[in-house]
Amino acid sequence: MHGKKIFAAVALAAASLAAGSAYAADISQSKTITLTGGSIDYGRSLQANAGDTFSDRWNFTLGGNGDIGTGVVAVSPGLIDAIAITGFSLFNSAGLSLGGVRHAEGLADVWTLNTSHLVADSYYLLITGTVLTSSAISYGGNVSVTAVPEPATYGMLLAGLGVAGFLARRRKDDKAA
């Protein structure tokens, strides 16, 4: 009889734990952003339950070679840590990734990622995190791209300088004669 009570208590405890984890949900999303003027702001507002997780994917296309600077900031309202950004990475179409750097965590989660000499390709930012409260929360960031000239551009620049120098010398020689 005593063994049945222990077994019932263990079964009830296991059911309670399973029911508690059933409320945690994956609230991930995938969106496409368009880089206009070399930069774009992105962000998301969340009305979720404590314990919900997300892996948000922000897709964009880089039309030419460039350097990227990006970051994400999540500031918790009040004095309660409401969101935990646990990862911030940049992926290309081949699946190669660069991880971001965490600068702060707690009431304000701050991540940055800077890289240079990216080629034209499809990319996405992956932001992972956990909701820590049932309050309305949000995060936001910015992607900025600085164009990097292609090697052919440098060749054309040098050729143009050479032609300008040749013409200047020719004019000098014509005036001397």
Side-chain angles (χ1 to χ4, degrees), residues 138-160:
S138 63
Y139 70 82
N142 177 279
V143 176
S144 62
V145 178
T146 307
V148 174
E150 295 183 18
T153 305
Y154 290 118
M156 288 175 47
L157 174 67
L158 289 175

Side-chain angles (χ1 to χ4, degrees), residues 60 77 90 139:
F60 64 95
L90 175 70
Y139 70 82

Side-chain angles (χ1 to χ4, degrees), residues 33 40-44 58 70-73 88 111 125 127 139-143:
I33 53 178
I40 185 73
D41 293 325
Y42 61 90
R44 181 173 181 203
W58 297 90
T70 183
V72 64
V73 176
F88 183 58
W111 290 73
L125 290 170
I127 301 169
Y139 70 82
N142 177 279
V143 176

Side-chain angles (χ1 to χ4, degrees), residues 62-90:
L62 188 60
N65 296 345
D67 297 342
I68 287 186
T70 183
V72 64
V73 176
V75 178
S76 297
L79 299 175
I80 299 170
D81 192 5
I83 186 171
I85 303 291
T86 56
F88 183 58
S89 301
L90 175 70

Side-chain angles (χ1 to χ4, degrees), residues 15-24:
S16 296
L17 288 175
S21 65
Y23 290 114

Side-chain angles (χ1 to χ4, degrees), residues 58-62 90-92 118-125:
W58 297 90
N59 305 298
F60 64 95
T61 301
L62 188 60
L90 175 70
F91 290 81
N92 69 2
L118 293 178
V119 297
D121 197 359
S122 295
Y123 293 91
Y124 68 91
L125 290 170

Side-chain angles (χ1 to χ4, degrees), residues 3 25 65 123 132 151 155 161-162 166:
N65 296 345
Y123 293 91
L132 303 175
L161 288 173
F166 173 76

